[in-house]
PDB file of all heavy atoms in Angstrom:
ATOM      1  N   SER F   1      -9.869 -33.208 -19.831  1.00 96.00           N
ATOM      2  CA  SER F   1     -10.134 -33.226 -18.395  1.00 96.00           C
ATOM      3  C   SER F   1     -10.727 -34.587 -18.042  1.00 96.00           C
ATOM      4  O   SER F   1     -10.740 -35.504 -18.868  1.00 96.00           O
ATOM      5  CB  SER F   1     -11.098 -32.101 -18.024  1.00 96.00           C
ATOM      6  OG  SER F   1     -12.310 -32.221 -18.749  1.00 96.00           O
ATOM      7  N   GLY F   2     -11.233 -34.755 -16.835  1.00 95.00           N
ATOM      8  CA  GLY F   2     -11.810 -36.039 -16.441  1.00 95.00           C
ATOM      9  C   GLY F   2     -12.931 -36.466 -17.379  1.00 95.00           C
ATOM     10  O   GLY F   2     -13.705 -35.633 -17.871  1.00 95.00           O
ATOM     11  N   PHE F   3     -13.015 -37.751 -17.644  1.00 97.00           N
ATOM     12  CA  PHE F   3     -14.041 -38.292 -18.541  1.00 97.00           C
ATOM     13  C   PHE F   3     -15.390 -38.352 -17.823  1.00 97.00           C
ATOM     14  O   PHE F   3     -15.468 -38.794 -16.674  1.00 97.00           O
ATOM     15  CB  PHE F   3     -13.692 -39.705 -18.982  1.00 97.00           C
ATOM     16  CG  PHE F   3     -12.450 -39.839 -19.825  1.00 97.00           C
ATOM     17  CD1 PHE F   3     -11.561 -38.794 -19.982  1.00 97.00           C
ATOM     18  CD2 PHE F   3     -12.164 -41.040 -20.445  1.00 97.00           C
ATOM     19  CE1 PHE F   3     -10.414 -38.921 -20.748  1.00 97.00           C
ATOM     20  CE2 PHE F   3     -11.022 -41.193 -21.222  1.00 97.00           C
ATOM     21  CZ  PHE F   3     -10.142 -40.133 -21.375  1.00 97.00           C
ATOM     22  N   MET F   4     -16.458 -37.966 -18.520  1.00 98.00           N
ATOM     23  CA  MET F   4     -17.791 -38.153 -17.959  1.00 98.00           C
ATOM     24  C   MET F   4     -18.053 -39.618 -17.639  1.00 98.00           C
ATOM     25  O   MET F   4     -18.733 -39.937 -16.664  1.00 98.00           O
ATOM     26  CB  MET F   4     -18.853 -37.614 -18.921  1.00 98.00           C
ATOM     27  CG  MET F   4     -18.852 -36.106 -19.060  1.00 98.00           C
ATOM     28  SD  MET F   4     -20.136 -35.516 -20.200  1.00 98.00           S
ATOM     29  CE  MET F   4     -19.782 -33.750 -20.195  1.00 98.00           C
ATOM     30  N   SER F   5     -17.491 -40.501 -18.421  1.00 97.00           N
ATOM     31  CA  SER F   5     -17.703 -41.934 -18.202  1.00 97.00           C
ATOM     32  C   SER F   5     -17.089 -42.415 -16.888  1.00 97.00           C
ATOM     33  O   SER F   5     -17.431 -43.509 -16.409  1.00 97.00           O
ATOM     34  CB  SER F   5     -17.141 -42.745 -19.375  1.00 97.00           C
ATOM     35  OG  SER F   5     -15.814 -42.354 -19.670  1.00 97.00           O
ATOM     36  N   ASN F   6     -16.219 -41.611 -16.259  1.00 96.00           N
ATOM     37  CA  ASN F   6     -15.714 -41.975 -14.932  1.00 96.00           C
ATOM     38  C   ASN F   6     -16.854 -42.077 -13.920  1.00 96.00           C
ATOM     39  O   ASN F   6     -16.752 -42.790 -12.915  1.00 96.00           O
ATOM     40  CB  ASN F   6     -14.705 -40.935 -14.434  1.00 96.00           C
ATOM     41  CG  ASN F   6     -13.386 -40.986 -15.184  1.00 96.00           C
ATOM     42  OD1 ASN F   6     -13.132 -41.913 -15.941  1.00 96.00           O
ATOM     43  ND2 ASN F   6     -12.564 -39.979 -14.990  1.00 96.00           N
ATOM     44  N   ALA F   7     -17.946 -41.369 -14.175  1.00 97.00           N
ATOM     45  CA  ALA F   7     -19.092 -41.400 -13.269  1.00 97.00           C
ATOM     46  C   ALA F   7     -19.758 -42.767 -13.218  1.00 97.00           C
ATOM     47  O   ALA F   7     -20.541 -43.048 -12.309  1.00 97.00           O
ATOM     48  CB  ALA F   7     -20.119 -40.339 -13.667  1.00 97.00           C
ATOM     49  N   LEU F   8     -19.441 -43.625 -14.171  1.00 97.00           N
ATOM     50  CA  LEU F   8     -19.994 -44.988 -14.140  1.00 97.00           C
ATOM     51  C   LEU F   8     -19.507 -45.749 -12.908  1.00 97.00           C
ATOM     52  O   LEU F   8     -20.152 -46.717 -12.488  1.00 97.00           O
ATOM     53  CB  LEU F   8     -19.625 -45.742 -15.418  1.00 97.00           C
ATOM     54  CG  LEU F   8     -20.293 -45.233 -16.703  1.00 97.00           C
ATOM     55  CD1 LEU F   8     -19.694 -45.916 -17.925  1.00 97.00           C
ATOM     56  CD2 LEU F   8     -21.805 -45.463 -16.662  1.00 97.00           C
ATOM     57  N   PHE F   9     -18.390 -45.322 -12.325  1.00 94.00           N
ATOM     58  CA  PHE F   9     -17.899 -45.965 -11.101  1.00 94.00           C
ATOM     59  C   PHE F   9     -18.850 -45.741  -9.932  1.00 94.00           C
ATOM     60  O   PHE F   9     -18.755 -46.420  -8.918  1.00 94.00           O
ATOM     61  CB  PHE F   9     -16.501 -45.460 -10.755  1.00 94.00           C
ATOM     62  CG  PHE F   9     -15.418 -45.955 -11.673  1.00 94.00           C
ATOM     63  CD1 PHE F   9     -14.829 -45.116 -12.594  1.00 94.00           C
ATOM     64  CD2 PHE F   9     -14.999 -47.273 -11.631  1.00 94.00           C
ATOM     65  CE1 PHE F   9     -13.835 -45.572 -13.458  1.00 94.00           C
ATOM     66  CE2 PHE F   9     -14.011 -47.750 -12.478  1.00 94.00           C
ATOM     67  CZ  PHE F   9     -13.422 -46.893 -13.397  1.00 94.00           C
ATOM     68  N   TRP F  10     -19.755 -44.781 -10.055  1.00 96.00           N
ATOM     69  CA  TRP F  10     -20.710 -44.520  -8.993  1.00 96.00           C
ATOM     70  C   TRP F  10     -21.950 -45.407  -9.108  1.00 96.00           C
ATOM     71  O   TRP F  10     -22.819 -45.361  -8.236  1.00 96.00           O
ATOM     72  CB  TRP F  10     -21.170 -43.057  -9.032  1.00 96.00           C
ATOM     73  CG  TRP F  10     -20.071 -42.050  -9.072  1.00 96.00           C
ATOM     74  CD1 TRP F  10     -18.781 -42.215  -8.659  1.00 96.00           C
ATOM     75  CD2 TRP F  10     -20.173 -40.708  -9.560  1.00 96.00           C
ATOM     76  NE1 TRP F  10     -18.059 -41.061  -8.868  1.00 96.00           N
ATOM     77  CE2 TRP F  10     -18.881 -40.115  -9.410  1.00 96.00           C
ATOM     78  CE3 TRP F  10     -21.202 -39.941 -10.095  1.00 96.00           C
ATOM     79  CZ2 TRP F  10     -18.629 -38.800  -9.795  1.00 96.00           C
ATOM     80  CZ3 TRP F  10     -20.942 -38.626 -10.468  1.00 96.00           C
ATOM     81  CH2 TRP F  10     -19.675 -38.068 -10.318  1.00 96.00           C
ATOM     82  N   ALA F  11     -22.042 -46.195 -10.173  1.00 97.00           N
ATOM     83  CA  ALA F  11     -23.288 -46.913 -10.469  1.00 97.00           C
ATOM     84  C   ALA F  11     -23.723 -47.838  -9.332  1.00 97.00           C
ATOM     85  O   ALA F  11     -24.905 -47.874  -8.971  1.00 97.00           O
ATOM     86  CB  ALA F  11     -23.148 -47.697 -11.769  1.00 97.00           C
ATOM     87  N   SER F  12     -22.786 -48.585  -8.759  1.00 95.00           N
ATOM     88  CA  SER F  12     -23.188 -49.574  -7.748  1.00 95.00           C
ATOM     89  C   SER F  12     -23.758 -48.899  -6.509  1.00 95.00           C
ATOM     90  O   SER F  12     -24.787 -49.334  -5.975  1.00 95.00           O
ATOM     91  CB  SER F  12     -21.997 -50.470  -7.379  1.00 95.00           C
ATOM     92  OG  SER F  12     -20.925 -49.693  -6.863  1.00 95.00           O
ATOM     93  N   SER F  13     -23.126 -47.813  -6.035  1.00 96.00           N
ATOM     94  CA  SER F  13     -23.638 -47.146  -4.834  1.00 96.00           C
ATOM     95  C   SER F  13     -24.929 -46.383  -5.124  1.00 96.00           C
ATOM     96  O   SER F  13     -25.793 -46.259  -4.248  1.00 96.00           O
ATOM     97  CB  SER F  13     -22.582 -46.201  -4.248  1.00 96.00           C
ATOM     98  OG  SER F  13     -22.296 -45.139  -5.125  1.00 96.00           O
ATOM     99  N   ILE F  14     -25.077 -45.898  -6.335  1.00 97.00           N
ATOM    100  CA  ILE F  14     -26.323 -45.214  -6.705  1.00 97.00           C
ATOM    101  C   ILE F  14     -27.467 -46.218  -6.748  1.00 97.00           C
ATOM    102  O   ILE F  14     -28.555 -45.979  -6.210  1.00 97.00           O
ATOM    103  CB  ILE F  14     -26.171 -44.481  -8.047  1.00 97.00           C
ATOM    104  CG1 ILE F  14     -25.320 -43.222  -7.862  1.00 97.00           C
ATOM    105  CG2 ILE F  14     -27.540 -44.117  -8.626  1.00 97.00           C
ATOM    106  CD1 ILE F  14     -25.031 -42.474  -9.153  1.00 97.00           C
ATOM    107  N   LYS F  15     -27.230 -47.361  -7.364  1.00 97.00           N
ATOM    108  CA  LYS F  15     -28.288 -48.373  -7.465  1.00 97.00           C
ATOM    109  C   LYS F  15     -28.647 -48.950  -6.101  1.00 97.00           C
ATOM    110  O   LYS F  15     -29.823 -49.188  -5.796  1.00 97.00           O
ATOM    111  CB  LYS F  15     -27.853 -49.493  -8.431  1.00 97.00           C
ATOM    112  CG  LYS F  15     -27.882 -49.074  -9.891  1.00 97.00           C
ATOM    113  CD  LYS F  15     -27.689 -50.245 -10.833  1.00 97.00           C
ATOM    114  CE  LYS F  15     -26.275 -50.751 -10.843  1.00 97.00           C
ATOM    115  NZ  LYS F  15     -26.047 -51.759 -11.924  1.00 97.00           N
ATOM    116  N   ALA F  16     -27.635 -49.184  -5.273  1.00 96.00           N
ATOM    117  CA  ALA F  16     -27.879 -49.839  -3.989  1.00 96.00           C
ATOM    118  C   ALA F  16     -28.371 -48.893  -2.914  1.00 96.00           C
ATOM    119  O   ALA F  16     -29.225 -49.263  -2.093  1.00 96.00           O
ATOM    120  CB  ALA F  16     -26.593 -50.538  -3.521  1.00 96.00           C
ATOM    121  N   GLU F  17     -27.835 -47.654  -2.913  1.00 96.00           N
ATOM    122  CA  GLU F  17     -28.103 -46.761  -1.784  1.00 96.00           C
ATOM    123  C   GLU F  17     -28.569 -45.364  -2.184  1.00 96.00           C
ATOM    124  O   GLU F  17     -28.918 -44.563  -1.316  1.00 96.00           O
ATOM    125  CB  GLU F  17     -26.835 -46.614  -0.936  1.00 96.00           C
ATOM    126  CG  GLU F  17     -26.237 -47.918  -0.449  1.00 96.00           C
ATOM    127  CD  GLU F  17     -24.876 -47.699   0.180  1.00 96.00           C
ATOM    128  OE1 GLU F  17     -24.840 -47.177   1.308  1.00 96.00           O
ATOM    129  OE2 GLU F  17     -23.858 -48.009  -0.470  1.00 96.00           O
ATOM    130  N   GLY F  18     -28.516 -45.045  -3.477  1.00 97.00           N
ATOM    131  CA  GLY F  18     -28.867 -43.695  -3.893  1.00 97.00           C
ATOM    132  C   GLY F  18     -27.886 -42.655  -3.407  1.00 97.00           C
ATOM    133  O   GLY F  18     -28.262 -41.539  -3.055  1.00 97.00           O
ATOM    134  N   VAL F  19     -26.573 -43.005  -3.413  1.00 97.00           N
ATOM    135  CA  VAL F  19     -25.569 -42.105  -2.864  1.00 97.00           C
ATOM    136  C   VAL F  19     -24.302 -42.127  -3.715  1.00 97.00           C
ATOM    137  O   VAL F  19     -23.953 -43.155  -4.308  1.00 97.00           O
ATOM    138  CB  VAL F  19     -25.231 -42.490  -1.397  1.00 97.00           C
ATOM    139  CG1 VAL F  19     -24.568 -43.858  -1.332  1.00 97.00           C
ATOM    140  CG2 VAL F  19     -24.354 -41.434  -0.746  1.00 97.00           C
ATOM    141  N   VAL F  20     -23.625 -40.983  -3.774  1.00 97.00           N
ATOM    142  CA  VAL F  20     -22.293 -40.872  -4.352  1.00 97.00           C
ATOM    143  C   VAL F  20     -21.362 -40.403  -3.253  1.00 97.00           C
ATOM    144  O   VAL F  20     -21.609 -39.367  -2.615  1.00 97.00           O
ATOM    145  CB  VAL F  20     -22.263 -39.860  -5.526  1.00 97.00           C
ATOM    146  CG1 VAL F  20     -20.823 -39.544  -5.932  1.00 97.00           C
ATOM    147  CG2 VAL F  20     -23.034 -40.410  -6.718  1.00 97.00           C
ATOM    148  N   ARG F  21     -20.313 -41.168  -2.992  1.00 95.00           N
ATOM    149  CA  ARG F  21     -19.357 -40.821  -1.936  1.00 95.00           C
ATOM    150  C   ARG F  21     -18.096 -40.251  -2.576  1.00 95.00           C
ATOM    151  O   ARG F  21     -17.550 -40.829  -3.517  1.00 95.00           O
ATOM    152  CB  ARG F  21     -19.031 -42.050  -1.093  1.00 95.00           C
ATOM    153  CG  ARG F  21     -20.234 -42.586  -0.334  1.00 95.00           C
ATOM    154  CD  ARG F  21     -19.883 -43.768   0.546  1.00 95.00           C
ATOM    155  NE  ARG F  21     -21.031 -44.187   1.333  1.00 95.00           N
ATOM    156  CZ  ARG F  21     -21.935 -45.084   0.903  1.00 95.00           C
ATOM    157  NH1 ARG F  21     -21.788 -45.645  -0.298  1.00 95.00           N
ATOM    158  NH2 ARG F  21     -22.966 -45.406   1.672  1.00 95.00           N
ATOM    159  N   THR F  22     -17.640 -39.129  -2.038  1.00 95.00           N
ATOM    160  CA  THR F  22     -16.523 -38.440  -2.677  1.00 95.00           C
ATOM    161  C   THR F  22     -15.679 -37.685  -1.671  1.00 95.00           C
ATOM    162  O   THR F  22     -16.178 -37.231  -0.640  1.00 95.00           O
ATOM    163  CB  THR F  22     -17.046 -37.451  -3.736  1.00 95.00           C
ATOM    164  OG1 THR F  22     -15.962 -36.663  -4.233  1.00 95.00           O
ATOM    165  CG2 THR F  22     -18.096 -36.528  -3.155  1.00 95.00           C
ATOM    166  N   ALA F  23     -14.386 -37.551  -2.001  1.00 96.00           N
ATOM    167  CA  ALA F  23     -13.469 -36.761  -1.174  1.00 96.00           C
ATOM    168  C   ALA F  23     -13.126 -35.440  -1.857  1.00 96.00           C
ATOM    169  O   ALA F  23     -12.102 -34.830  -1.556  1.00 96.00           O
ATOM    170  CB  ALA F  23     -12.196 -37.566  -0.919  1.00 96.00           C
ATOM    171  N   THR F  24     -13.977 -35.000  -2.786  1.00 96.00           N
ATOM    172  CA  THR F  24     -13.697 -33.790  -3.551  1.00 96.00           C
ATOM    173  C   THR F  24     -14.364 -32.542  -2.976  1.00 96.00           C
ATOM    174  O   THR F  24     -14.210 -31.448  -3.520  1.00 96.00           O
ATOM    175  CB  THR F  24     -14.154 -33.960  -5.009  1.00 96.00           C
ATOM    176  OG1 THR F  24     -15.541 -34.327  -5.025  1.00 96.00           O
ATOM    177  CG2 THR F  24     -13.344 -35.036  -5.706  1.00 96.00           C
ATOM    178  N   GLY F  25     -15.114 -32.681  -1.893  1.00 96.00           N
ATOM    179  CA  GLY F  25     -15.759 -31.530  -1.269  1.00 96.00           C
ATOM    180  C   GLY F  25     -16.685 -30.815  -2.235  1.00 96.00           C
ATOM    181  O   GLY F  25     -17.423 -31.443  -2.998  1.00 96.00           O
ATOM    182  N   ASP F  26     -16.619 -29.472  -2.217  1.00 96.00           N
ATOM    183  CA  ASP F  26     -17.434 -28.666  -3.117  1.00 96.00           C
ATOM    184  C   ASP F  26     -16.675 -28.280  -4.384  1.00 96.00           C
ATOM    185  O   ASP F  26     -17.149 -27.471  -5.180  1.00 96.00           O
ATOM    186  CB  ASP F  26     -17.906 -27.392  -2.409  1.00 96.00           C
ATOM    187  CG  ASP F  26     -18.849 -27.687  -1.251  1.00 96.00           C
ATOM    188  OD1 ASP F  26     -19.636 -28.648  -1.359  1.00 96.00           O
ATOM    189  OD2 ASP F  26     -18.792 -26.964  -0.234  1.00 96.00           O
ATOM    190  N   GLY F  27     -15.478 -28.864  -4.565  1.00 97.00           N
ATOM    191  CA  GLY F  27     -14.679 -28.543  -5.740  1.00 97.00           C
ATOM    192  C   GLY F  27     -15.346 -28.982  -7.023  1.00 97.00           C
ATOM    193  O   GLY F  27     -16.148 -29.922  -7.041  1.00 97.00           O
ATOM    194  N   ARG F  28     -14.998 -28.307  -8.095  1.00 98.00           N
ATOM    195  CA  ARG F  28     -15.639 -28.579  -9.385  1.00 98.00           C
ATOM    196  C   ARG F  28     -14.612 -28.986 -10.439  1.00 98.00           C
ATOM    197  O   ARG F  28     -13.445 -28.618 -10.364  1.00 98.00           O
ATOM    198  CB  ARG F  28     -16.402 -27.340  -9.861  1.00 98.00           C
ATOM    199  CG  ARG F  28     -17.474 -26.881  -8.884  1.00 98.00           C
ATOM    200  CD  ARG F  28     -18.280 -25.739  -9.455  1.00 98.00           C
ATOM    201  NE  ARG F  28     -19.314 -25.300  -8.518  1.00 98.00           N
ATOM    202  CZ  ARG F  28     -20.358 -24.564  -8.856  1.00 98.00           C
ATOM    203  NH1 ARG F  28     -20.518 -24.177 -10.122  1.00 98.00           N
ATOM    204  NH2 ARG F  28     -21.256 -24.213  -7.945  1.00 98.00           N
ATOM    205  N   ILE F  29     -15.109 -29.735 -11.429  1.00 97.00           N
ATOM    206  CA  ILE F  29     -14.279 -30.151 -12.552  1.00 97.00           C
ATOM    207  C   ILE F  29     -15.160 -30.230 -13.801  1.00 97.00           C
ATOM    208  O   ILE F  29     -16.304 -30.687 -13.717  1.00 97.00           O
ATOM    209  CB  ILE F  29     -13.596 -31.511 -12.276  1.00 97.00           C
ATOM    210  CG1 ILE F  29     -12.654 -31.892 -13.426  1.00 97.00           C
ATOM    211  CG2 ILE F  29     -14.609 -32.613 -11.999  1.00 97.00           C
ATOM    212  CD1 ILE F  29     -11.764 -33.094 -13.118  1.00 97.00           C
ATOM    213  N   PRO F  30     -14.662 -29.787 -14.952  1.00 98.00           N
ATOM    214  CA  PRO F  30     -15.457 -29.838 -16.181  1.00 98.00           C
ATOM    215  C   PRO F  30     -15.268 -31.157 -16.937  1.00 98.00           C
ATOM    216  O   PRO F  30     -14.562 -31.222 -17.948  1.00 98.00           O
ATOM    217  CB  PRO F  30     -14.934 -28.642 -16.989  1.00 98.00           C
ATOM    218  CG  PRO F  30     -13.499 -28.532 -16.573  1.00 98.00           C
ATOM    219  CD  PRO F  30     -13.431 -28.994 -15.141  1.00 98.00           C
ATOM    220  N   PHE F  31     -15.890 -32.212 -16.433  1.00 98.00           N
ATOM    221  CA  PHE F  31     -15.811 -33.508 -17.116  1.00 98.00           C
ATOM    222  C   PHE F  31     -16.183 -33.351 -18.598  1.00 98.00           C
ATOM    223  O   PHE F  31     -17.041 -32.537 -18.946  1.00 98.00           O
ATOM    224  CB  PHE F  31     -16.762 -34.501 -16.462  1.00 98.00           C
ATOM    225  CG  PHE F  31     -16.205 -35.228 -15.263  1.00 98.00           C
ATOM    226  CD1 PHE F  31     -16.990 -36.146 -14.572  1.00 98.00           C
ATOM    227  CD2 PHE F  31     -14.917 -35.014 -14.828  1.00 98.00           C
ATOM    228  CE1 PHE F  31     -16.497 -36.835 -13.472  1.00 98.00           C
ATOM    229  CE2 PHE F  31     -14.407 -35.695 -13.734  1.00 98.00           C
ATOM    230  CZ  PHE F  31     -15.206 -36.607 -13.052  1.00 98.00           C
ATOM    231  N   ILE F  32     -15.564 -34.171 -19.447  1.00 98.00           N
ATOM    232  CA  ILE F  32     -15.779 -34.109 -20.887  1.00 98.00           C
ATOM    233  C   ILE F  32     -16.329 -35.429 -21.405  1.00 98.00           C
ATOM    234  O   ILE F  32     -15.973 -36.511 -20.922  1.00 98.00           O
ATOM    235  CB  ILE F  32     -14.470 -33.723 -21.619  1.00 98.00           C
ATOM    236  CG1 ILE F  32     -14.712 -33.549 -23.123  1.00 98.00           C
ATOM    237  CG2 ILE F  32     -13.366 -34.738 -21.352  1.00 98.00           C
ATOM    238  CD1 ILE F  32     -13.523 -32.931 -23.850  1.00 98.00           C
ATOM    239  N   HIS F  33     -17.209 -35.343 -22.399  1.00 98.00           N
ATOM    240  CA  HIS F  33     -17.831 -36.523 -22.992  1.00 98.00           C
ATOM    241  C   HIS F  33     -16.800 -37.271 -23.847  1.00 98.00           C
ATOM    242  O   HIS F  33     -16.055 -36.645 -24.611  1.00 98.00           O
ATOM    243  CB  HIS F  33     -19.003 -36.089 -23.870  1.00 98.00           C
ATOM    244  CG  HIS F  33     -19.979 -37.177 -24.183  1.00 98.00           C
ATOM    245  ND1 HIS F  33     -19.644 -38.284 -24.930  1.00 98.00           N
ATOM    246  CD2 HIS F  33     -21.295 -37.319 -23.868  1.00 98.00           C
ATOM    247  CE1 HIS F  33     -20.702 -39.072 -25.053  1.00 98.00           C
ATOM    248  NE2 HIS F  33     -21.720 -38.513 -24.420  1.00 98.00           N
ATOM    249  N   PRO F  34     -16.730 -38.606 -23.759  1.00 98.00           N
ATOM    250  CA  PRO F  34     -15.793 -39.367 -24.585  1.00 98.00           C
ATOM    251  C   PRO F  34     -15.934 -39.093 -26.086  1.00 98.00           C
ATOM    252  O   PRO F  34     -14.938 -39.125 -26.825  1.00 98.00           O
ATOM    253  CB  PRO F  34     -16.133 -40.825 -24.252  1.00 98.00           C
ATOM    254  CG  PRO F  34     -16.636 -40.771 -22.849  1.00 98.00           C
ATOM    255  CD  PRO F  34     -17.417 -39.477 -22.770  1.00 98.00           C
ATOM    256  N   GLN F  35     -17.146 -38.811 -26.545  1.00 98.00           N
ATOM    257  CA  GLN F  35     -17.324 -38.525 -27.966  1.00 98.00           C
ATOM    258  C   GLN F  35     -16.572 -37.260 -28.376  1.00 98.00           C
ATOM    259  O   GLN F  35     -16.020 -37.181 -29.480  1.00 98.00           O
ATOM    260  CB  GLN F  35     -18.811 -38.387 -28.290  1.00 98.00           C
ATOM    261  CG  GLN F  35     -19.586 -39.683 -28.223  1.00 98.00           C
ATOM    262  CD  GLN F  35     -21.036 -39.506 -28.637  1.00 98.00           C
ATOM    263  OE1 GLN F  35     -21.393 -38.573 -29.339  1.00 98.00           O
ATOM    264  NE2 GLN F  35     -21.888 -40.411 -28.182  1.00 98.00           N
ATOM    265  N   ASP F  36     -16.556 -36.263 -27.493  1.00 98.00           N
ATOM    266  CA  ASP F  36     -15.819 -35.037 -27.800  1.00 98.00           C
ATOM    267  C   ASP F  36     -14.321 -35.304 -27.856  1.00 98.00           C
ATOM    268  O   ASP F  36     -13.610 -34.749 -28.700  1.00 98.00           O
ATOM    269  CB  ASP F  36     -16.122 -33.964 -26.755  1.00 98.00           C
ATOM    270  CG  ASP F  36     -17.508 -33.360 -26.909  1.00 98.00           C
ATOM    271  OD1 ASP F  36     -18.069 -33.432 -28.019  1.00 98.00           O
ATOM    272  OD2 ASP F  36     -18.039 -32.822 -25.916  1.00 98.00           O
ATOM    273  N   ILE F  37     -13.836 -36.143 -26.959  1.00 98.00           N
ATOM    274  CA  ILE F  37     -12.409 -36.494 -26.977  1.00 98.00           C
ATOM    275  C   ILE F  37     -12.057 -37.168 -28.297  1.00 98.00           C
ATOM    276  O   ILE F  37     -11.065 -36.828 -28.952  1.00 98.00           O
ATOM    277  CB  ILE F  37     -12.051 -37.411 -25.798  1.00 98.00           C
ATOM    278  CG1 ILE F  37     -12.387 -36.744 -24.464  1.00 98.00           C
ATOM    279  CG2 ILE F  37     -10.565 -37.777 -25.842  1.00 98.00           C
ATOM    280  CD1 ILE F  37     -12.258 -37.668 -23.263  1.00 98.00           C
ATOM    281  N   ALA F  38     -12.882 -38.128 -28.705  1.00 98.00           N
ATOM    282  CA  ALA F  38     -12.625 -38.860 -29.950  1.00 98.00           C
ATOM    283  C   ALA F  38     -12.676 -37.933 -31.158  1.00 98.00           C
ATOM    284  O   ALA F  38     -11.847 -38.032 -32.074  1.00 98.00           O
ATOM    285  CB  ALA F  38     -13.627 -39.993 -30.105  1.00 98.00           C
ATOM    286  N   ASP F  39     -13.635 -37.019 -31.177  1.00 98.00           N
ATOM    287  CA  ASP F  39     -13.757 -36.111 -32.322  1.00 98.00           C
ATOM    288  C   ASP F  39     -12.554 -35.178 -32.420  1.00 98.00           C
ATOM    289  O   ASP F  39     -12.058 -34.904 -33.521  1.00 98.00           O
ATOM    290  CB  ASP F  39     -15.048 -35.297 -32.203  1.00 98.00           C
ATOM    291  CG  ASP F  39     -16.291 -36.118 -32.511  1.00 98.00           C
ATOM    292  OD1 ASP F  39     -16.160 -37.202 -33.113  1.00 98.00           O
ATOM    293  OD2 ASP F  39     -17.399 -35.682 -32.134  1.00 98.00           O
ATOM    294  N   VAL F  40     -12.065 -34.703 -31.286  1.00 98.00           N
ATOM    295  CA  VAL F  40     -10.866 -33.858 -31.294  1.00 98.00           C
ATOM    296  C   VAL F  40      -9.648 -34.683 -31.707  1.00 98.00           C
ATOM    297  O   VAL F  40      -8.782 -34.206 -32.465  1.00 98.00           O
ATOM    298  CB  VAL F  40     -10.643 -33.197 -29.926  1.00 98.00           C
ATOM    299  CG1 VAL F  40      -9.287 -32.488 -29.869  1.00 98.00           C
ATOM    300  CG2 VAL F  40     -11.762 -32.199 -29.641  1.00 98.00           C
ATOM    301  N   ALA F  41      -9.560 -35.913 -31.235  1.00 98.00           N
ATOM    302  CA  ALA F  41      -8.439 -36.787 -31.620  1.00 98.00           C
ATOM    303  C   ALA F  41      -8.417 -37.015 -33.126  1.00 98.00           C
ATOM    304  O   ALA F  41      -7.340 -37.050 -33.740  1.00 98.00           O
ATOM    305  CB  ALA F  41      -8.527 -38.112 -30.878  1.00 98.00           C
ATOM    306  N   ILE F  42      -9.591 -37.174 -33.725  1.00 98.00           N
ATOM    307  CA  ILE F  42      -9.668 -37.341 -35.182  1.00 98.00           C
ATOM    308  C   ILE F  42      -9.095 -36.111 -35.883  1.00 98.00           C
ATOM    309  O   ILE F  42      -8.332 -36.220 -36.853  1.00 98.00           O
ATOM    310  CB  ILE F  42     -11.128 -37.583 -35.629  1.00 98.00           C
ATOM    311  CG1 ILE F  42     -11.569 -39.002 -35.265  1.00 98.00           C
ATOM    312  CG2 ILE F  42     -11.286 -37.342 -37.131  1.00 98.00           C
ATOM    313  CD1 ILE F  42     -10.924 -40.087 -36.109  1.00 98.00           C
ATOM    314  N   GLU F  43      -9.471 -34.929 -35.422  1.00 98.00           N
ATOM    315  CA  GLU F  43      -8.942 -33.703 -36.022  1.00 98.00           C
ATOM    316  C   GLU F  43      -7.423 -33.641 -35.872  1.00 98.00           C
ATOM    317  O   GLU F  43      -6.713 -33.239 -36.809  1.00 98.00           O
ATOM    318  CB  GLU F  43      -9.586 -32.476 -35.374  1.00 98.00           C
ATOM    319  CG  GLU F  43     -11.056 -32.303 -35.691  1.00 98.00           C
ATOM    320  CD  GLU F  43     -11.308 -32.104 -37.170  1.00 98.00           C
ATOM    321  OE1 GLU F  43     -10.553 -31.339 -37.814  1.00 98.00           O
ATOM    322  OE2 GLU F  43     -12.261 -32.723 -37.704  1.00 98.00           O
ATOM    323  N   ALA F  44      -6.925 -34.039 -34.714  1.00 98.00           N
ATOM    324  CA  ALA F  44      -5.478 -34.013 -34.490  1.00 98.00           C
ATOM    325  C   ALA F  44      -4.757 -35.009 -35.387  1.00 98.00           C
ATOM    326  O   ALA F  44      -3.634 -34.750 -35.837  1.00 98.00           O
ATOM    327  CB  ALA F  44      -5.180 -34.317 -33.025  1.00 98.00           C
ATOM    328  N   LEU F  45      -5.399 -36.144 -35.659  1.00 98.00           N
ATOM    329  CA  LEU F  45      -4.799 -37.164 -36.521  1.00 98.00           C
ATOM    330  C   LEU F  45      -4.795 -36.769 -37.992  1.00 98.00           C
ATOM    331  O   LEU F  45      -3.851 -37.053 -38.732  1.00 98.00           O
ATOM    332  CB  LEU F  45      -5.558 -38.487 -36.375  1.00 98.00           C
ATOM    333  CG  LEU F  45      -5.178 -39.441 -35.253  1.00 98.00           C
ATOM    334  CD1 LEU F  45      -6.198 -40.569 -35.163  1.00 98.00           C
ATOM    335  CD2 LEU F  45      -3.779 -40.015 -35.464  1.00 98.00           C
TER     336      LEU F  45
END
């Protein structure tokens, strides 16, 4: 699913204004940690 590291794109607005701007409404997504992706990829390999 979406990478947790995608949230780094919010860094500039968080630092400057303390805000995250989004067009996702109240919808939810189970972001996954890159380490988990890599560990599963290792098992698949």
